[in-house]
Each structure stands twice: as C-alpha cells, then as structure tokens.
Amino acid sequence: MAAESGSLGDSLRPLKHATFAVLWVATVLGNTGTFMRDIASSWMVTELGGGPAAVSMIQAAGALPIFLLAIPAGVLSDILDRRRFLLAVQVFLALVSATLAFLAATHALSIPALIALTFAGGIGAALIGPTWQSIVPELVERTELKDAVALNSLGVNISRAIGPAAGGLILAGLGAAVTYSTDVCSYFLVIAALVWWKRKGGGETALPENFLGAFRAGLRYTRASSELHVVLLRAAVFFAFASAVWALLPLVARGTLQGGAGFYGVLMGAVGAGAIAGALVLPRLRARCGADALLLGASLLSALVMVVLALVPVKLVAFVALLVLGGAWIMSLTTFNGVAQGILPNWVRGRALAVYLTVFNGAMAAGSIGWGALAEATGVKIALLASAIGLVIAALVMHRVRLPKAEADLTSAHQWAEPLTVEPVANDRGPVLILVEYDVAREAQPAFLAVLERFSMERRRDGAYAWGVTQDSANPEHVVEWFMVESWAEHLRQHERLSHAGADLQSEATSFHRGDAPPRVTHLIGLPSS
C-alpha cells in the first residue's frame, strides 16, 4: 500500500466521483437537520423540567436502538438492495420528525413522548448506519477508502457545526415546531439524492443468503476475526468513558454555565467546528502518527476537556474546550472507522460494521445512563471528573493493545476450482466436511502447521464452524486438514469469499506439500436420516 502523503488535495480525492460527491452533500444536509432535531429534543427535556436522569435518557434513547438493532440491520444491508433500503428508512425518519413537529405545534410534547420518538429515530439510525458505511467501497477506489471514510466523518462534523447552532437559534427564535419541520425538509433532500443514484449491479450473487443464514455467517466471522476483536475492545472502552461529556453537556450549558438554548447550540456548533479543523489536519497527523498514537491523543484531549468543563465555569473557556473536543472526537471516530473498514471484506462488511456500531452505541448508551445516574447522586462536576480520570487510565492501558494495520488485500481471489460432483447437489444439503490431504516431511511439519493455523482463521471467517488437522497413524507424513460448513451453498460461498490475503496463506501452506500433484481435496456431504 502506498504511503500517505498527508496533503489536503489527496484527502479530497473521493469527491471526484460524482455519486460519492452528491450523496456526501445530501448526507451533510440530512445530518444537519438531524442535529437540529436532537438539539431541540435535548433542550426541550430541560424546558419540561427534566433532571440529569431524564436528559441522559434522551442520549440513551437515541443510542440504545442502535445497540439492539445494528446487527440485524447489518444483515439486511448485506442481503437487500442497499439503495432501496436507505430510501425506505429515510421516509420513516421523516415521519418521526413530522410527528415531533406536530406535537410541538399543538403544545402536546412531553418527556415520555420525546424519549419515545427519540427511540424511534434511533431505530431509523440503527437501520441505516451499517448501510451508509457499507456503500462507501462501491463509490470510490480501494486506495481512496480511508480518505472517503475521513470525508464522511468530516461531513458529519460539518453538520455538527451547522446543525446545533442553527437549531439552537431557530429553537430560541421560532420554536420547536419550526426546528423539527426543518429536519423534515432535510430528509426530502436525502431521498432525492438516493432516487437520483443509479446503483450499479454486480453486487448480486448466484447464491443469495437468507436472513438467518446471513446472520449466522456474520456472527461466525465476528467470532473468528481477532483483528475485529481488537477494534471492538478499544472502541468499547473509549466510548464508555467519553460518553459522559455528551450525556451531561446540556446540564453543563444550562446549569454550570447559565446559558440558554441558543448558547447550547453554539457549544454543539463548536464541537463541529473543531471537528472540521481536526479533519483538515488529520491527513498530516495520519502520515506522521499511527492509529494507536492518534487514539491516545484523542483520549487525553477528551479527558482534558471534561476537566475544564467541570472546574472552569466560564462560557468562553467552555467554547474553546469544545473546539478541542471536536478535533479529538473526529480523530477517534475516523481512526476506529477507518481501521474497521480496512480489515473487512465486502461480503460481510455491513454485518461486521453493525457489530462495531452495536459496541459503539452500547458503550455510549450504558455510559450515558451510568454517568447520568452518578451526576444525579453526586453532581455534574464529580461525574465529569470521574469520567476524565477513568478515560486517562483506560487510554494508557489500551495503548498496549495495538490496532491492526488494515493493509491486507481482502478482495475475492476466485482461486478455488468448482468442486467435482457426479450429480447436482441441493444447496441446503449439509453439513459438508472438506478434507485437504498434504504430504509433508516430518522436519517441515512445525513450520507447516504454524502457517496452517494462521490460515484456519480465514477458513472460519469465511464460513467454517469447525476446523482441525489430523495425521495418518500409518504414515505420519500424510497430514489432513479438515473443516466443516453448514451447507453446500455455504461452502460454494466460501469459494467466492476467499481473499487474496487468504490465497497467499494457502499458497504458503501448499508450498510444504511434496509431489507434482496438488493436495487432494475431498468433499463429504451429510446424508439425510432415514
């Protein structure tokens, strides 16, 4: 992989693709409306007399559905037409915001209604989150993927800079009904862009997956991917502590800083402005620092911001602190997202990203509830200081757990020949036992087994639910690798899923095999019980 130059021009390369550019602009506008809606909902809870627990419940209500539904949503994004799926969910979200506008206009808003409709909005976000991220590789070249991920994060934070500030001003000047109605209009812009997008074919397969089979395959991949485990662990720890600032910021703005709705919007806008500035310098930081160093810096900066908010109740200082928070936040989000995108093959991208989103939002939801409860019992200041101390300790400990490099070529190698069959095999027949027979000299077997052990992870990620190696008692140099797959169709999908990185490992293992003929491969299919 070519080294990153770190120039701003290189980071904008994905925008040369018209479809990416149009969808990027549409999502910036759509997310701006969403931030306006969220700022109105968070503030309206305080207007209706809600305390720390009620305010943190709004944060939790938005994040909890993503924790609960992201994995099923990821399955749907991998087996349905992604464009049509996005269209349907955008219509649903427009209806949610329209309901909020109606309730606000008729003075019927209540804290339970706000929490319920925030939860409904969270359901929509859960459904579209994995899909929006999964379509990125369809829109840009592989070499531009990290830049596209960074641009998407930049777009979210442009929205974060504009949406809360505009939402706070509209809320203060024209009321909640107009704020929510503006969000409804933003969904129409996103829907128009999706209608305009003529998605190319080629994602279809002769072996389409059903929901339950795709769900199991996604969980198998997640269990077998040690690289994904590292990303999930690091994300869970970071967001559990960092969630405190988001859960408690409305209370800081209203109580500690004695501000109104407009000031709260300005503070949220500062986060977005800081994120934009962070995104502009991020290419250079990425070229000089590794992902682990970026995450450590983001954690320490976020902790510093929480300390400042707790100990220095000055509006201008808070504004500057939240500029810093925005830069730290985009560093962390872009780093996690970029690494996750880089270690995932396209066939399981939606499902695996959904697991990442589940962990992210689960940590945010649990952290929000926990820090809200602590603030209720001890005060906002103590809760912020406790989360800052915890984040620093966690960052120093987790820095030793290195993120994966995300440099392997995970595109399909199409290396395996079609299995030989005497007659057609029904796709649902199974289980299937595959035997691969090697002739390996005894002195070479330790090195051979080490390579095969690494290759076993590829087998498991691509569909095997059991794997092992056996040795012939009569001929110790006859070594048999075996693995089991739940059905014939799932094994045929393994043929499509084998990546170039996996093919390289297989070739390395095959190099130990003696003889002119390649290792013998046998497919044994379960017979139906009588």
Side-chain angles (χ1 to χ4, degrees), residues 44 76 83 144 176 182 208 282 301-302 309 337-338 495 499 529:
M44 288 305 296
L76 292 175
R83 172 180 164 275
E144 301 166 343
T182 306
L282 188 57
L301 286 174
S302 299
L309 291 176
N337 203 330
H495 283 240
S499 68
S529 56

Side-chain angles (χ1 to χ4, degrees), residues 5 100 116 152 209 228 294 312 314 391 395 422 526:
S5 69
L100 282 166
N152 279 344
E209 298 178 86
L228 184 58
L294 288 174
V312 187
V314 178
L391 183 56
V422 176

Side-chain angles (χ1 to χ4, degrees), residues 448-467:
F448 166 72
L449 291 173
V451 174
L452 212 58
E453 183 69 30
R454 287 159 55 208
F455 185 48
S456 72
M457 302 309 297
E458 180 85 15
R459 303 280 201 201
R460 294 179 188 275
R461 286 194 297 261
D462 289 351
Y465 65 83
W467 177 90

Side-chain angles (χ1 to χ4, degrees), residues 23-333:
L23 290 176
W24 185 82
V25 171
T27 53
V28 168
L29 296 172
N31 286 329
T32 299
T34 300
F35 280 116
M36 294 172 70
R37 180 199 72 192
D38 291 345
I39 204 80
S41 295
S42 296
W43 192 258
M44 288 305 296
V45 170
T46 66
E47 286 286 318
L48 294 169
V55 172
S56 64
M57 277 300 296
I58 288 290
Q59 172 78 21
L64 186 58
I66 305 179
F67 172 72
L68 297 174
L69 299 176
I71 295 178
V75 174
L76 292 175
S77 78
D78 281 335
I79 66 177
L80 298 178
D81 182 284
R82 288 169 177 167
R83 172 180 164 275
R84 294 179 180 177
F85 185 54
L86 287 170
L87 275 169
V89 180
Q90 291 295 323
V91 171
F92 168 75
L93 286 170
L95 291 174
V96 170
S97 293
T99 304
L100 282 166
F102 174 77
L103 291 176
T106 57
H107 305 287
L109 268 182
S110 63
I111 291 178
L114 279 169
I115 293 174
L117 288 167
T118 300
F119 187 83
I123 290 174
L127 293 175
I128 63 174
T131 310
W132 273 123
Q133 296 193 45
S134 297
I135 65 174
V136 174
E138 298 184 34
L139 308 177
V140 300
E141 302 294 333
R142 175 175 169 78
T143 55
E144 301 166 343
L145 185 57
K146 283 188 177 180
D147 292 319
V149 170
L151 275 171
N152 279 344
S153 293
L154 173 62
V156 169
N157 286 287
I158 290 173
S159 303
R160 193 190 301 276
I162 299 171
L169 292 173
I170 295 173
L171 181 62
L174 300 175
V178 176
T179 310
Y180 291 130
S181 297
T182 306
D183 181 37
V184 175
C185 295
S186 73
Y187 287 115
F188 291 136
L189 297 174
V190 180
I191 291 169
L194 290 169
V195 170
W196 170 84
W197 175 27
K198 305 302 178 188
R199 186 176 182 229
K200 294 180 180 178
E204 297 80 10
T205 173
L207 295 164
E209 298 178 86
N210 60 42
F211 182 86
L212 291 178
F215 188 87
R216 291 194 298 272
L219 292 183
R220 274 198 302 270
Y221 184 94
T222 302
R223 284 200 303 269
S225 178
S226 57
E227 291 184 327
L228 184 58
H229 296 167
V230 173
V231 176
L232 298 180
L233 173 63
R234 296 287 302 270
V237 172
F238 174 82
F239 292 118
F241 286 101
S243 62
V245 69
W246 305 106
L248 302 177
L249 189 57
L251 298 170
V252 172
R254 187 182 183 93
T256 306
L257 300 173
Q258 299 296 306
F263 177 68
Y264 177 49
V266 168
L267 287 181
M268 292 299 293
V271 175
I276 293 171
L280 295 177
V281 301
L282 188 57
R284 291 187 179 183
L285 291 176
R286 238 183 11 230
R288 297 181 180 182
C289 307
D292 295 289
L294 288 174
L295 277 182
L296 179 60
S299 299
L300 297 179
L301 286 174
S302 299
L304 176 62
V305 168
M306 288 188 275
V307 171
V308 169
L309 291 176
L311 299 181
V312 187
V314 178
K315 289 183 178 180
L316 180 59
V317 173
F319 180 84
V320 174
L322 288 173
L323 287 172
V324 174
L325 180 65
W329 199 251
I330 198 171
M331 275 199 296
S332 58
L333 286 179

